Amino acid sequence: MKRISDYSTLSAVEAVRQSIARAKAMSEYNALISLCEDRALDRAAKVDAGEVTGRLAGIPFVAKDNFLTIDSQTTAASDFLRGFSSPIQATAVERLEAEGAICIGKANLDAFAHGGSTENSAFGPTRNAVDMTRVAGGSSGGSAVVVALDIVPFALGTDTGGSIRQPASFNGVVGVKPTYGAVSRFGVVAMASSTDTIGVLSSTVSDAELVMDILCGPDERDMTTIDDFFEPTVEPLRSMKIGLIKESMTDEVDSDVVRCTNDYVNELRAAGHIVEEVSLPLLKQALAIYYIVVSAEVSSNLGRYDGIRYGNRADGQSLAEIYGRSRDNGFMPENKRRIMIGSYVLSSGFFDAYYLHAQKVRTLLIESFDSLFEDYDLLIGPVTPTAAFKLNENTADPVKMYLADIMTVPASLAGLPAISVPAGESADGLPIGVQLIGPQKSDAMLLGIAKQLEETI
Ligand code: GLN
């Protein structure tokens, strides 16, 4: 895979042309919903003329299609927003553009980011970069595949419960889900506001570090953003104390995944770090908490899509009929399922039993992370229980699909930074990643450790 520095010999126009040509040649993967060819070439010409400069001058990238971008549609992979043209850009896109980066296209995803395979897209599924009969992972499946296929050196994604880390693992690329609030969510289609994060997928850890350094920082248009704490680490790193989450290394987890995680642990030890087994007993409960809390927030955030304020409008004789038909046409079955579950757990009579209870257990989960971080600098475990599964393997059974998120949702619920880095492959050659989780604002340290090991893995 190409890294950002590999582009230094190309003019911006050449770089953009190459990326777009490769995107078109690889269209059978269905990783992109649209290309922003004219605007990209226009901006590239400005970079070559010296009118636009910066740390990413002339570097092509792709944004997941839930980031608002001007001069191209933003669909969130839904029929509801098919053809929607935004008058504004997401802060993340703006920050990259301010450093000279060039958005060449918009990546496929599970509609409204609901899913873990990019099969819930109104534009059809994205295929895995290594095995076309398998899923790309999701919901940032398109973003992972464009990096793995060498279309661009990095892509923007969103991670609410694993949507950057899991597709990164399934396609053999680096995926960074930052501390909650580290990167502005302004201009990104909301899924679940208390766990939504913006991050990057890239071919190398150092490229991810450079992009995160640009993305992080407060934004007056997103009041949940925090101070700019991100400082890339300088080697050599001190010896870290790392906890291996034992509940994520059980017999239920694929043996290839356990083997790759153990291999990575051995490399960490060889690099001078201390790794010990630790317990996170609430791991299993985290999945139940996640699907209650996130569905509740989804049902609220998606209320705006009614065909009147937002989204494509269907015909109807009455207001209720317009709402109903617009929603029926615009949402995918998985979106509807989550809206219904969310409305149910928030409804009078069930609120205490489900939503409130889930929030209480979420607090316990946060406390158990806090107490682990009193003794350990960071935690390690697999990203997913298996490598990429077959297309259509899990679509008939939503709960089976949800179970694949068991290892990624805990960090999301606690707002912790977590990264997925390639750790090896399965017996049949599928990529497998490992997950590093740290306390809030330890993003740069996690990347520093992964960078230290990148050459050996
Ligand atoms: N797979 C998880 C879900 O379906 C994560 C989604 C996400 O992070 N956007 O909710």
Side-chain angles (χ1 to χ4, degrees):
M1 276 179 279
K2 276 205 210 128
R3 21 179 95 206
I4 289 174
S5 58
D6 294 331
Y7 286 78
S8 60
T9 52
L10 295 176
S11 74
V13 169
E14 273 167 348
V16 165
R17 284 221 172 101
Q18 276 186 16
S19 275
I20 289 176
R22 197 155 168 83
K24 287 180 178 167
M26 302 277 170
S27 62
E28 57 193 330
Y29 287 87
N30 200 28
L32 288 152
I33 290 179
S34 57
L35 287 169
C36 327
E37 204 165 343
D38 293 344
R39 185 162 191 277
L41 283 169
D42 214 49
R43 279 183 44 80
K46 290 204 171 91
V47 170
D48 287 339
E51 289 166 37
V52 176
T53 54
R55 286 186 281 171
L56 293 174
I59 305 297
F61 74 97
V62 159
K64 188 176 178 178
D65 206 22
N66 56 353
F67 285 79
L68 298 181
T69 49
I70 47 176
D71 289 345
S72 54
Q73 58 169 349
T74 299
T75 65
S78 69
D79 282 323
F80 232 145
L81 293 175
R82 192 185 283 266
F84 170 68
S85 161
S86 162
I88 51 164
Q89 302 226 89
T91 298
V93 173
E94 266 188 355
R95 291 207 170 146
L96 295 173
E97 286 204 341
E99 291 285 353
I102 299 170
C103 181
I104 63 128
K106 306 292 293 290
N108 202 4
L109 63 147
D110 291 293
F112 292 101
H114 303 173
S117 68
T118 313
E119 291 172 291
N120 298 329
S121 164
F123 295 78
T126 296
R127 292 168 186 277
N128 186 281
V130 176
D131 178 348
M132 287 193 82
T133 68
R134 292 179 185 269
V135 298
S139 63
S140 310
S143 299
V145 170
V146 290
V147 173
L149 293 178
D150 242 350
I151 291 170
V152 284
F154 75 92
L156 285 175
T158 60
D159 190 314
T160 301
S163 279
I164 288 177
R165 290 162 282 161
Q166 186 250 33
S169 175
F170 279 7
N171 293 281
V173 303
V174 174
V176 181
K177 171 238 176 290
T179 298
Y180 179 78
V183 181
S184 169
R185 293 177 289 125
F186 178 79
V188 179
V189 175
M191 178 177 166
S193 305
S194 79
T195 69
D196 280 350
T197 57
I198 310 303
V200 62
L201 299 100
S202 62
S203 59
T204 68
V205 178
S206 16
D207 285 352
E209 195 174 52
L210 170 60
V211 175
M212 288 312 298
D213 196 25
I214 292 167
L215 292 178
C216 284
D219 177 8
E220 60 181 19
R221 297 175 297 183
D222 174 358
M223 65 182 187
T224 61
T225 49
I226 52 181
D227 57 299
D228 187 4
F229 59 85
F230 194 91
E231 253 332 304
T233 51
V234 192
E235 291 196 65
L237 289 173
R238 68 176 169 88
S239 165
M240 300 281 173
K241 210 170 150 204
I242 303 171
L244 171 63
I245 304 171
K246 74 165 189 235
E247 287 78 6
S248 64
M249 298 286 275
T250 62
D251 293 347
E252 289 163 74
V253 179
D254 195 277
S255 59
D256 282 330
V257 172
V258 171
R259 172 180 49 81
C260 288
T261 310
N262 281 327
D263 286 351
Y264 200 89
V265 164
N266 289 335
E267 295 295 342
L268 284 167
R269 290 193 173 123
H273 302 295
I274 297 159
V275 187
E276 293 171 359
E277 244 185 25
V278 297
S279 177
L280 187 67
L282 287 173
L283 185 81
K284 275 209 168 133
Q285 283 77 0
L287 195 69
I289 308 169
Y290 174 84
Y291 276 97
I292 292 171
V293 172
V294 164
S295 300
E297 294 184 25
V298 160
S299 73
S300 164
N301 272 330
L302 267 53
R304 73 189 69 170
Y305 300 98
D306 54 13
I308 304 231
R309 287 172 298 172
Y310 281 93
N312 294 323
R313 185 179 304 180
D315 289 336
Q317 298 304 313
S318 63
L319 193 59
E321 205 176 15
I322 292 174
Y323 282 176
R325 284 198 183 156
S326 301
R327 287 173 171 159
D328 193 25
N329 297 343
F331 288 131
M332 299 291 283
E334 182 60 26
N335 307 136
K336 294 175 188 170
R337 183 177 299 120
R338 294 192 189 210
I339 292 167
M340 286 170 69
I341 295 171
S343 308
Y344 179 80
V345 299
L346 290 176
S347 61
S348 150
F350 297 104
F351 178 87
D352 287 0
Y354 292 102
Y355 183 77
L356 198 61
H357 201 69
Q359 291 288 25
K360 286 180 182 166
V361 187
R362 181 184 190 178
T363 303
L364 295 178
L365 175 73
I366 294 170
E367 285 169 1
S368 54
F369 271 120
D370 286 346
S371 72
L372 283 174
F373 290 130
E374 279 172 21
D375 295 322
Y376 295 89
D377 295 300
L378 67 144
L379 305 174
I380 185 171
V383 183
T384 53
T386 64
F389 40 89
K390 290 266 183 196
L391 283 159
N392 296 319
E393 189 179 323
N394 288 348
T395 39
D397 183 353
V399 175
K400 211 172 152 208
M401 190 76 94
Y402 298 167
L403 280 167
D405 300 329
I406 188 149
M407 292 155 182
T408 47
V409 299
S412 297
L413 289 166
L416 304 174
I419 66 174
S420 166
V421 282
E425 51 185 44
S426 69
D428 38 7
L430 299 170
I432 292 175
V434 71
Q435 179 175 215
L436 305 179
I437 306 172
Q440 289 197 334
K441 300 189 181 180
S442 68
D443 310 44
M445 182 265 283
L446 297 180
L447 287 168
I449 295 204
K451 197 165 60 169
Q452 188 185 31
L453 262 66
E454 193 166 40
E455 301 307 319
T456 20
I457 298 295

